Each structure stands twice: as structure tokens, then as C-alpha cells.
Amino acid sequence: INPSLYKLAYDPVKDFAPVSLVTVQPNMLVVHNAVPAKSVKELVALAKAQPGALTFASGGSGTGNHMAAELFKSVAGLDIRHIPYKGVIAAIPDLLGGRVMMMFSPIANVLPAVRGGKLRALAVTSVRRSSAAPELPTVAESGYPGFEVTGWYGVLVPARTPEAIVRKLHLEAVKALAAPDLRAKFADLGMETVGNSPDEFAAVIKSEIPKWAKVIKDSGIKPD
């Protein structure tokens, strides 16, 4: 996302050597209970019937959950209004109070409110269903094939690091990520453990940059 929003002092592709993707963290699409939509399909129909009426919160312009909503707007052809906050946590009280109607949020931040019946969850933004809420469909399952938005964490080293060192770090990372207690801790945070190869991780980075560049250009997003 950042290469399309800011002038960076580094190149995210040329200046690093990927080691492994560690985790991916999907967003959960949640709505206030007053929103009469029980599915993504019903939410889209509601938004199209009332252009500009629905509002969505984010943790700030250009954040990952803002991007998720902008991509959703684009693929579903929606007119919904963005209300940015200074972080996802700052947005939750207004979402709970019905001052904003919906949000894409990291799962761990809203799952307690969903479990407590204070918010309604409609979908998750990963390719596969989340182990944190396996009953929820994905946005892709809900009528938008190919829709995927995940925050991710990975291990990288400086470019030109000797290949033998990259291989060694990769093997140790994969070994660590296989530990059941570590996987359980990540799952508690709504994260899915990965541990892929350096080449696979490099492909993720290279595919994400143009994907978000298009969303930013099409929506005219400017950083806060």
C-alpha cells in the first residue's frame, strides 16, 4: 500500500530478500445491529437502494481496513461514505453506538462484540474461512469471487544477503511456525499461520503492490 501513498526511502521489492510469510490476518465485515442485513448480498442490496446513506468506519485513510472497504465498494458498485478514525480501536465505540453503520476490522478487535451480540458479522475477507469464525462465509463465497484482503506479517532480510543464510532462516522460521502453542497464540489473534517459501513470499509482495495501486488510484485515496 505504502509505495502508492508515500515517497519511500526504500524499494519494497529491490531492497529486501523475503524469507517467509509468517501469518495472514483477514478482516471481518461487521455491521451495527440496526442495519437490516443478514448477509453480504442483503447489505449490497440495501446500500444500492440508499446511495450514500450507509457509512463505514476505518482506522484512517490508507489503512488496510480502509482499503478493504474501498475494494468492496469497487467490486460491488456501492456508494457508501467513509468515516476515518485514528485507529480501529477508536472507531469501535461509534460503531457500537450506531453512529457509523459498518466496518472491515481485524477479527480480534471485533470478535468479542460479535460473540456478545453487539455487532453482526457478515463475512471475512480471506480466501478461506477463518478458524476464528468458521461459520462465517468469505466475501468471495458471498458473490465476489477472487475478493481477498489480508493484513500479513513476514520475515525479510536486506537484499544481497547470502542465499545460504536466507535458506537457514527460512528453515528455522518454518520450524518455529509448526509449534502448536505458537499457532494457537496466532489463532487467538485471528491470524492464520503460513510459513511459505522465499519465492512464494516474494510473489505475494509483488502481486500486492499493483493491486492496491489500482484501488488507490481509482478511489483517489490520500493519506491522513
Side-chain angles (χ1 to χ4, degrees):
I1 292 171
N2 284 351
S4 299
L5 287 177
Y6 307 102
K7 179 177 283 188
L8 302 179
Y10 60 88
D11 186 305
V13 174
K14 294 180 181 178
D15 291 341
F16 298 97
V19 174
S20 180
L21 187 62
V22 174
T23 63
V24 293
Q25 183 179 35
N27 282 284
M28 180 179 279
L29 171 56
V30 294
V31 297
H32 184 263
N33 287 334
V35 176
K38 304 295 193 298
S39 66
V40 170
K41 182 178 180 180
E42 290 181 5
L43 180 65
V44 169
L46 180 67
K48 287 187 174 182
Q50 305 173 38
L54 289 183
T55 55
F56 71 93
S58 83
S61 294
T63 56
N65 65 317
H66 178 206
M67 291 294 170
E70 291 293 347
L71 182 59
F72 183 58
K73 284 173 58 180
S74 175
V75 299
L78 302 183
D79 177 8
I80 52 179
R81 292 184 292 120
H82 178 214
I83 311 295
Y85 290 78
K86 293 183 178 179
V88 171
I89 299 301
I92 290 176
D94 278 3
L95 181 61
L96 291 170
R99 288 176 286 277
V100 285
M101 294 290 99
M102 58 184 286
M103 180 165 68
F104 285 87
S105 169
I107 292 175
N109 291 335
V110 292
L111 191 57
V114 171
R115 295 285 188 243
K118 297 177 181 178
L119 293 172
R120 186 184 310 119
L122 303 184
V124 293
T125 61
S126 44
V127 171
R128 291 177 293 277
R129 294 192 180 199
S130 170
S131 59
E135 72 281 4
L136 280 182
T138 65
V139 175
E141 282 181 86
S142 303
Y144 300 95
F147 188 98
E148 179 186 11
V149 181
T150 55
W152 48 259
Y153 296 87
V155 177
L156 302 101
V157 291
R160 295 173 295 281
T161 296
E163 187 176 342
I165 293 177
V166 174
R167 282 201 306 270
K168 175 66 173 174
L169 288 170
H170 172 255
L171 289 173
E172 293 298 328
V174 171
K175 180 180 176 182
L177 290 170
D181 59 337
L182 184 63
R183 296 175 74 91
K185 287 183 183 294
F186 281 135
D188 288 343
L189 296 171
M191 298 178 179
E192 309 288 338
T193 309
V194 183
N196 60 5
S197 72
D199 286 345
E200 288 169 334
F201 187 18
V204 170
I205 296 171
K206 289 176 182 177
S207 68
E208 290 264 284
I209 292 172
K211 171 181 177 176
W212 296 117
K214 183 178 188 306
V215 173
I216 289 165
K217 180 180 179 182
D218 291 349
S219 60
I221 293 173
K222 303 294 181 185
D224 285 339

